[in-house]
Amino acid sequence: MCIRDRLQRALVIAVVANFIYAVLQKMEFRGIIPWGALPHHYVTLWYQDAKFADWGRTNGLFLNPNKLGWLGVTAYCVFFVGCLHGHRWHKLLAMISILLALLSNSRSAIFTILGVTTVIIFVLAAEMVARGKSKKIVVVRIVELILLLTAGGYAIWQWYAPLFKIKRVMRFVRVASEGTQVDTSLTARIQGHWQNGLNAVQLYPWGTGVDPVACVGVIDSGWLSYWVQGGVVLFLAFATYLLSVGGYGLACYIKANDRYGLSLFALAVAIVVGSVVLSPFHHLPVFVVYHILLYVVMMNRKEQIGHQTGRQSAKGCYL
């Protein structure tokens, strides 16, 4: 079994297992299962139970709900691209990945999935136009995809809004029109954690050299954390790494139609977006899958170059 198949199998097992356990946690929260019956109560910290009871956030087999949500984002980048390339079962797995983000109630994961979907649709449209396909066909396929996603989102909204605690997500949307005061969590980050980080940047422009938690407390924002810890050098190094790897994946998709390259690009975009309010690159599923995807894309490119070289050599010998 090649590493591509192992990656997909591992993602399937992780997504399905976490989805089942997260649903059981929701059933416990709704009173269908007695509170305290599930084994996670014996291994999680007390504040996880408080967060679960307050917001209805599930953490699946992880300690943190955000990690469950970002497992959904990571798997979605792989399975959504797969379903667009004709893999039937990937449609179901992509939907389960979205449900993981909703079950975790991680707003960074939910809005990142929306952003990644938009980027992938744009890339596919541009790629189809570049390959000479009719613009009418491109528009029709994009409209079909948007209508499908809209219908699915509306159904989830109508049927499962009380279960997923959608109001907490909508507070994040209202910030754009009503200000940060409508979202106490975001207000605490902007006026508290992020302001402390910006003050540290002014005092130490080249970075503190230590974990930001040790000097300014929890910042959450990945970009600001790197800036506080390593200054502009670490900030630019991380940005360059994400952009170069994401660009490499996109180039491999355009040149060789490697769907794993598009998944790598999508995950890089997700990390860039999610790092504004969180540090998703520190989450183990994101970090591991990101680098395995990079390895898969590099090996696919190496195989393609090897085949091309072999054909050219054979052609030269024949002549």
Side-chain angles (χ1 to χ4, degrees), residues 170-314:
M170 289 308 299
R171 287 204 308 268
F172 196 74
V173 178
R174 289 168 54 195
V175 168
S177 58
E178 302 179 30
T180 58
Q181 66 273 7
V182 300
D183 192 322
T184 55
S185 175
L186 188 60
T187 301
R189 292 183 182 185
I190 294 176
Q191 298 180 359
H193 308 325
W194 292 0
Q195 188 58 51
N196 294 337
L198 292 174
N199 293 336
V201 168
Q202 293 178 354
L203 291 174
Y204 306 98
W206 296 104
T208 60
V210 297
D211 190 338
V213 177
C215 53
V216 297
V218 178
I219 296 178
D220 283 336
S221 171
W223 291 113
L224 188 54
S225 296
Y226 299 134
W227 198 356
V228 171
Q229 185 171 359
V232 68
V233 175
L234 181 59
F235 181 91
L236 292 178
F238 184 64
T240 302
Y241 175 64
L242 289 181
L243 293 175
S244 59
V245 171
Y248 175 73
L250 181 60
C252 289
Y253 172 72
I254 294 173
K255 292 181 179 179
N257 196 29
D258 185 356
R259 67 181 181 89
Y260 292 98
L262 184 57
S263 294
L264 178 62
F265 170 73
L267 187 53
V269 171
I271 295 172
V272 169
V273 174
S275 293
V276 175
V277 295
L278 204 66
S279 297
F281 201 61
H282 294 175
H283 296 171
L284 190 60
V286 180
F287 183 85
V288 171
V289 174
Y290 183 78
H291 289 97
I292 291 179
L293 277 175
L294 175 58
Y295 176 78
V296 168
V297 172
M298 292 176 66
M299 290 299 101
N300 288 346
R301 183 60 178 163
K302 183 178 179 180
E303 289 178 6
Q304 183 191 28
I305 294 174
H307 291 323
Q308 291 176 349
T309 304
R311 286 197 298 269
Q312 291 175 356
S313 300

Side-chain angles (χ1 to χ4, degrees), residues 3-319:
I3 191 169
R4 294 187 293 266
D5 296 332
R6 291 178 180 177
L7 172 63
Q8 292 194 60
R9 177 172 292 188
L11 277 177
V12 170
I13 294 173
V15 166
V16 173
N18 277 278
F19 176 70
I20 293 173
Y21 198 80
V23 170
L24 291 175
Q25 287 179 315
K26 278 293 183 183
M27 293 173 66
E28 185 183 53
F29 177 72
R30 303 289 289 185
I32 301 174
I33 296 177
W35 183 263
L38 295 177
H40 73 274
H41 292 284
Y42 303 101
V43 296
T44 56
L45 301 177
W46 66 269
Y47 64 79
Q48 291 298 128
D49 275 346
K51 180 177 289 188
F52 181 78
D54 184 18
W55 296 324
R57 303 184 65 184
T58 61
N59 54 294
L61 300 175
F62 296 96
L63 182 64
N64 189 305
N66 286 325
K67 293 182 179 180
L68 176 66
W70 275 87
L71 170 64
V73 173
T74 305
Y76 179 78
C77 290
V78 175
F79 295 133
F80 181 63
V81 173
C83 77
L84 292 177
H85 283 74
H87 295 269
R88 190 172 302 174
W89 283 102
H90 285 203
K91 296 179 181 179
L92 175 61
L93 293 168
M95 290 302 300
I96 295 177
S97 301
I98 295 175
L99 291 175
L100 286 182
L102 291 171
L103 286 165
S104 71
N105 217 320
S106 171
R107 294 177 294 185
S108 62
I110 293 171
F111 285 101
T112 298
I113 285 178
L114 292 175
V116 165
T117 303
T118 304
V119 170
I120 290 177
I121 291 175
F122 176 80
V123 170
L124 290 176
E127 185 253 349
M128 284 190 291
V129 171
R131 293 193 177 187
K133 292 189 177 181
S134 170
K135 291 184 179 180
K136 183 178 180 180
I137 296 177
V138 173
V139 171
V140 169
R141 290 188 177 180
I142 291 176
V143 170
E144 289 177 351
L145 184 58
I146 292 175
L147 288 176
L148 177 63
L149 293 173
T150 303
Y154 181 76
I156 290 173
W157 181 279
Q158 291 295 320
W159 297 338
Y160 301 109
L163 183 63
F164 290 127
K165 298 285 184 179
I166 297 294
K167 289 183 179 180
R168 180 175 180 270
V169 179
M170 289 308 299
R171 287 204 308 268
F172 196 74
V173 178
R174 289 168 54 195
V175 168
S177 58
E178 302 179 30
T180 58
Q181 66 273 7
V182 300
D183 192 322
T184 55
S185 175
L186 188 60
T187 301
R189 292 183 182 185
I190 294 176
Q191 298 180 359
H193 308 325
W194 292 0
Q195 188 58 51
N196 294 337
L198 292 174
N199 293 336
V201 168
Q202 293 178 354
L203 291 174
Y204 306 98
W206 296 104
T208 60
V210 297
D211 190 338
V213 177
C215 53
V216 297
V218 178
I219 296 178
D220 283 336
S221 171
W223 291 113
L224 188 54
S225 296
Y226 299 134
W227 198 356
V228 171
Q229 185 171 359
V232 68
V233 175
L234 181 59
F235 181 91
L236 292 178
F238 184 64
T240 302
Y241 175 64
L242 289 181
L243 293 175
S244 59
V245 171
Y248 175 73
L250 181 60
C252 289
Y253 172 72
I254 294 173
K255 292 181 179 179
N257 196 29
D258 185 356
R259 67 181 181 89
Y260 292 98
L262 184 57
S263 294
L264 178 62
F265 170 73
L267 187 53
V269 171
I271 295 172
V272 169
V273 174
S275 293
V276 175
V277 295
L278 204 66
S279 297
F281 201 61
H282 294 175
H283 296 171
L284 190 60
V286 180
F287 183 85
V288 171
V289 174
Y290 183 78
H291 289 97
I292 291 179
L293 277 175
L294 175 58
Y295 176 78
V296 168
V297 172
M298 292 176 66
M299 290 299 101
N300 288 346
R301 183 60 178 163
K302 183 178 179 180
E303 289 178 6
Q304 183 191 28
I305 294 174
H307 291 323
Q308 291 176 349
T309 304
R311 286 197 298 269
Q312 291 175 356
S313 300
K315 183 176 180 181
C317 293
Y318 178 76
L319 292 174

